[in-house]
Amino acid sequence: MWGVFPLYFPLLEPAGPLEILAHRMIWSLAVVALILLGLRRWQWIPELLRQPRRLGLLALAATVISVNWGMYIWGVNSGHVVETSLGYFINPLVTIALGVLVLRERLRPAQWAAVGIGLAAVVVLTVGYGRPPWISLVLAFSFGTYGFIKKKVNMGGLESLAAETSIQFLPALGFVVLLSARGDATFTTHGPGHAALLVAAGLITAVPLIFFGAAAVRVPLSTIGLLQYLAPLFQFVLGLVYFHESMPTARWAGFGLVWAALVILTADALRTARQTRTALRAPGIVDGSAPVVGAGATEG
């Protein structure tokens, strides 16, 4: 579903990226609120309201994901689908870089190699585009930062999305009202079909997240990590085949370096996970009488 997002947002034109973003925020809250109402999962709200630090982190997460959503919508609707896919390809490398820069984590040699190749890819792509691939970099760093904040907040997916969209709601509603007052809103002026598509932006935001949350407790983490490469891969193929975006040789070279870095990163992650499982099966590990061999290597 995430992989075919580039097919959806162009359907919302002539609404501009900011109007689409505002409606995505408003209707995402409506969808998540209905789901939480159906599940009767409201107990977390009073507790959250008593935690100002957590609320502050959620406000920061809402701000960062707003930047990510807005940049993605603008990138897709302005003909940069391939470049948006690159942002999510390099996101794992950005996440590793944040671990080093912010958390002072130590990298394994393979991770250093992957990050180095990723930096080389950015240089090659800068030459290929004639400018830094800033759409990709904004998407990668905003989503990497969002993931970092979410790790600190430590909330369930539905609850976290409800809290973040609650923070986004009033600014988004205010923007839509302002557009309407200026006569620039498309929600009520381009027919019921257009209005329905804008409302459905809430569904297309919430449903993949719900499915992801359901899969996360059923599928091994290493498998989820591999599956997450499918979304940018689908986006990349759509950019080439459906939107007919150009891919000069320099861009192919840059993407090739990114993919090589991801292969190294994935192989290293799978090897480390296998070593950790082997260590956990060793005598004395299960009953807690001995430390987990190589546990430190799994950090970062």
Side-chain angles (χ1 to χ4, degrees):
M1 286 186 281
W2 278 321
V4 296
F5 269 19
L7 297 176
Y8 183 78
F9 289 116
L11 300 177
L12 305 182
E13 294 178 330
L18 288 178
E19 184 180 3
I20 295 171
L21 175 63
H23 279 283
R24 188 177 183 184
M25 293 171 176
I26 291 167
W27 301 113
S28 293
L29 175 60
V31 171
V32 176
L34 286 173
I35 294 169
L36 289 173
L37 182 63
L39 296 175
R40 298 183 180 181
R41 281 164 58 176
W42 299 103
Q43 303 86 348
W44 55 275
I45 295 177
E47 181 183 351
L48 176 63
L49 293 175
R50 292 193 293 268
Q51 301 177 41
R53 181 179 178 276
R54 213 174 190 190
L55 283 171
L57 286 172
L58 284 167
L60 185 58
T63 303
V64 172
I65 201 61
S66 298
V67 172
N68 183 271
W69 288 358
M71 179 57 68
Y72 184 82
I73 294 166
W74 181 86
V76 167
N77 283 7
S78 60
H80 298 283
V81 174
V82 168
E83 194 173 347
T84 62
S85 76
L86 176 64
Y88 294 104
F89 275 127
I90 66 176
N91 180 65
L93 302 173
V94 169
T95 300
I96 289 175
L98 286 172
V100 173
L101 296 173
V102 180
L103 301 179
R104 305 296 181 186
E105 294 176 349
R106 297 174 60 185
L107 298 188
R108 297 182 292 274
Q111 291 175 315
W112 277 116
V115 171
I117 294 171
L119 290 173
V122 171
V123 173
V124 171
L125 288 164
T126 298
V127 173
Y129 280 104
R131 57 168 175 80
W134 61 272
I135 297 173
S136 306
L137 294 174
V138 169
L139 288 172
F141 276 93
S142 59
F143 199 73
T145 304
Y146 178 69
F148 174 76
I149 297 169
K150 294 272 278 189
K151 183 179 175 66
K152 293 287 186 183
V153 172
N154 191 26
M155 283 181 68
L158 272 176
E159 291 84 353
S160 180
L161 182 62
E164 291 158 21
T165 49
S166 296
I167 293 166
Q168 294 169 331
F169 179 77
L170 285 179
L173 183 63
F175 180 76
V176 169
V177 170
L178 176 63
L179 279 183
S180 298
R182 288 166 41 186
D184 295 329
T186 65
F187 183 69
T188 58
T189 59
H190 284 71
H194 178 71
L197 285 171
L198 284 171
V199 171
L203 275 176
I204 70 114
T205 299
V207 171
L209 284 170
I210 294 165
F211 280 19
F212 179 80
V217 297
R218 294 169 171 83
V219 181
L221 190 60
S222 57
T223 304
I224 288 177
L226 291 172
L227 289 173
Q228 284 186 296
Y229 293 136
L230 289 177
L233 180 61
F234 288 170
Q235 293 165 14
F236 176 76
V237 171
L238 283 172
L240 286 184
V241 177
Y242 184 80
F243 294 100
H244 305 292
E245 295 184 15
S246 62
M247 277 291 288
T249 303
R251 292 184 196 174
W252 277 112
F255 270 82
L257 286 171
V258 170
W259 293 332
L262 292 178
V263 168
I264 293 171
L265 200 61
T266 302
D268 177 69
L270 293 174
R271 179 184 59 81
T272 304
R274 188 165 53 248
Q275 289 176 345
T276 302
R277 286 195 299 269
T278 302
L280 288 171
R281 294 192 196 102
I285 299 300
V286 175
D287 63 8
S289 59
V292 176
V293 178
T298 65
E299 297 176 2

